[in-house]
Amino acid sequence: KIETPTLPAYKAGRVYVAEVLKNMVAMNPAIIGGSADVASSCGGHWPEIQGHFLPPAFAEKVPGASYSGRYIHFGVREHACLAILNGISSSSCLIPYCTLFTVFYQYGLPAIRMASISKFPVLYIGTHDSIDLGEDGPTHQPVELLPQLRAMPNLLVIRPGCVEEIVGAFQVFAAQYTDKQSISLYVDPKTVVRRPVFVMTSRGELGLPYKGNTGIKGTEGLWRGAYVLHDCVDEVPTGLVPPSGKGVPRAHHVTLPDIVLIGSGQDLALVMKTKEILLQWSKTFNERLRASFDGFPHVATSAAPAVLKVRIVSMPCWELFDEQDQEYQDNVLCSKYQKILRIYVEKAATKNTGHDKYAHMSVLMPSYGLSGKAADVERKLEFTPEFIAAKVWSSWMDRGRILPQAGDEADRGFSSWVSHLGRRAGSH
């Protein structure tokens, strides 16, 4: 059983992952892995638990060196590292893992592809997952790798947004060895029993600015790929409270949101902070609007304008979410309602990489990253709560031209663009 480690809030994502992995390694002697010379930054090596997989002749220089060691020093050989893990998975009862900077997995993509084709249950852990890793700059900022991995069949790509979701990701991986699974929704004609799992996390702090109000724990919601973390009302219907175990019930909501904000990883905290700003702006806007009508008849008895209703959806794993039934997906994203605007925020991915399947609009990386301190880079590339809130607010005011309507046709030039000019905010 993997439990949430006792750690202070707002630690780096790589610290949380390393702590959970350490618990797994200590409990299961079948787990063996290594890193391509970056274990000190990514975590993944505990000599007192694993020792060193080295010839006994090295014991004088490296205490614990023996062929019974469970940590392999791969050196700077990313492709060889991942290919060797495939061999371990295919020919033994051992459970292989690897920890690397996320961007360095690009050197070993062919080996990951082979693991996905062969359904080898290899655990990949990628840290330093977006633009917040510091002065190393765009060469180390993997803004395009997340979509590349998501495009691989049979590969689970999980980008947790909090420590509970990290624990859930490891539970999903471990369940492949303890539970009988049959994923029939995959295109692959062969039944998927096991598959590789890629857990992607951050160099910087990982945590939520406030608690969710739906009663769904991250460890439970992750099994569904996406779940409602914070709804637009605090009075949560009883249908949202999950039972014990990993299952999450289908949600039945009385109050529908105006906007659904979707995020993963560090961006989950970003959209939650964005929601706070949007609610404050909405309240201020309504107060000023109402004040402008002071002195008009019936103003005192008229209902106050409604505050913007925003739902926060955590979507750590596309593949698991796509495997859920359509009713659950519709309930989480409110995709059956044409008047609800859905916006996806993710600074670890570039545009035109599939987000339009879940959202009307996406705030993604427009280019490669920049060299500089994380806060400065995020401000320059407009990934702060204030910038995101401004983009969401602008999209909401202009939603008449964003949301699809009956009779819409493909954009074929100036004529189809002009046909949208008659739509104004609130017209629908």
Side-chain angles (χ1 to χ4, degrees):
K1 182 179 180 181
I2 304 171
E3 297 181 352
T4 304
T6 304
L7 291 174
Y10 278 90
K11 289 290 184 179
R14 57 178 174 166
V15 173
Y16 288 135
V17 167
E19 187 69 19
V20 179
L21 178 62
K22 180 181 179 181
N23 291 336
M24 284 187 64
V25 170
M27 290 186 294
N28 193 330
I31 297 178
I32 182 171
S35 179
D37 210 33
V38 288
S40 59
S41 296
C42 303
H45 185 205
W46 301 274
E48 69 281 3
I49 299 174
Q50 299 169 288
H52 302 266
F53 184 83
L54 289 170
F58 281 76
E60 293 184 3
K61 296 181 179 179
V62 183
S66 72
Y67 289 127
S68 63
R70 294 188 289 138
Y71 182 84
I72 305 172
H73 296 269
F74 289 105
V76 188
R77 302 177 184 89
E78 290 84 359
H79 180 267
C81 165
L82 302 182
I84 290 170
L85 296 185
N86 287 347
I88 293 174
S89 180
S90 65
S91 61
S92 69
C93 59
L94 299 177
I95 304 173
Y97 76 88
C98 176
T99 61
L100 286 174
F101 280 39
T102 298
V103 73
F104 294 154
Y105 277 99
Q106 286 186 317
Y107 290 113
L109 282 178
I112 298 177
R113 183 175 184 271
M114 187 57 65
S116 300
I117 293 174
S118 306
K119 303 182 181 67
F120 294 147
V122 180
L123 176 60
Y124 307 110
I125 296 173
T127 63
H128 302 67
D129 72 346
S130 67
I131 60 174
D132 75 327
L133 56 84
E135 287 79 357
D136 285 337
T139 57
H140 286 60
Q141 296 170 355
V143 298
E144 78 284 9
L145 185 59
L146 180 57
Q148 290 176 337
L149 295 172
R150 284 171 173 165
M152 286 191 185
N154 300 339
L155 175 64
L156 281 186
V157 184
I158 305 176
R159 188 171 182 246
C162 61
V163 64
E164 287 187 345
E165 291 184 4
I166 288 176
V167 173
F170 278 84
Q171 289 175 341
V172 167
F173 175 76
Q176 299 186 104
Y177 291 90
T178 59
D179 300 341
K180 292 183 178 180
Q181 297 181 335
S182 177
I183 300 95
S184 59
L185 296 181
Y186 269 59
V187 177
D188 193 326
K190 299 179 182 178
T191 303
V192 177
V193 178
R194 293 177 179 174
R195 49 186 166 175
V197 176
F198 194 111
V199 180
M200 185 178 294
T201 191
S202 63
R203 172 187 183 269
E205 292 179 343
L206 192 70
L208 306 181
Y210 50 88
K211 293 182 178 180
N213 63 357
T214 61
I216 303 176
K217 296 181 180 179
T219 49
E220 299 168 343
L222 187 132
W223 284 85
R224 294 294 191 102
Y227 63 100
V228 181
L229 174 62
H230 200 278
D231 214 346
C232 53
V233 290
D234 288 327
E235 296 77 17
V236 183
T238 56
L240 263 183
V241 181
S244 59
K246 61 192 178 188
V248 180
R250 296 181 178 89
H252 175 70
H253 301 278
V254 177
T255 303
L256 293 173
D258 299 312
I259 299 173
V260 177
L261 295 180
I262 310 167
S264 69
Q266 278 189 316
D267 305 319
L268 185 57
L270 177 60
V271 296
M272 293 180 76
K273 294 175 183 178
T274 298
K275 175 176 179 175
E276 290 184 298
I277 296 174
L278 290 172
L279 294 182
Q280 183 58 50
W281 286 358
S282 177
K283 181 180 179 182
T284 303
F285 177 84
N286 289 342
E287 290 174 351
R288 293 179 179 177
L289 179 64
R290 191 172 180 83
S292 66
F293 287 94
D294 284 347
F296 283 74
H298 309 298
V299 171
T301 58
S302 62
V307 177
L308 201 61
K309 298 185 290 296
V310 182
R311 170 183 292 183
I312 302 296
V313 170
S314 174
M315 187 176 285
C317 183
W318 287 14
E319 296 79 18
L320 290 176
F321 185 64
D322 290 344
E323 290 169 11
Q324 307 307 308
D325 60 75
Q326 191 62 47
E327 183 180 357
Y328 178 81
Q329 296 182 36
D330 291 339
N331 283 334
V332 170
L333 297 178
C334 296
S335 50
K336 292 187 296 184
Y337 301 92
Q338 293 185 350
K339 297 182 181 181
I340 298 176
L341 183 63
R342 303 189 302 277
I343 299 178
Y344 206 126
V345 179
E346 197 166 56
K347 61 175 179 283
T350 48
K351 59 185 179 179
N352 302 323
T353 52
H355 298 76
D356 54 343
K357 179 179 180 180
Y358 309 103
H360 300 107
M361 172 190 168
S362 302
V363 183
L364 308 169
M365 282 294 296
S367 63
Y368 288 105
L370 299 169
S371 176
K373 295 181 178 179
D376 296 336
V377 172
E378 289 171 349
R379 191 178 304 108
K380 181 68 175 179
L381 295 174
E382 301 184 354
F383 275 98
T384 64
E386 293 77 16
F387 274 116
I388 301 300
K391 293 178 181 180
V392 173
W393 185 272
S394 175
S395 300
W396 172 248
M397 298 304 293
D398 201 33
R399 64 192 182 280
R401 291 196 288 270
I402 295 177
L403 294 174
Q405 295 186 14
D408 278 355
E409 58 183 25
D411 185 1
R412 293 181 293 184
F414 183 72
S415 60
S416 58
W417 179 77
V418 170
S419 68
H420 288 64
L421 289 180
R423 303 180 186 177
R424 292 291 180 264
S427 63
H428 55 282

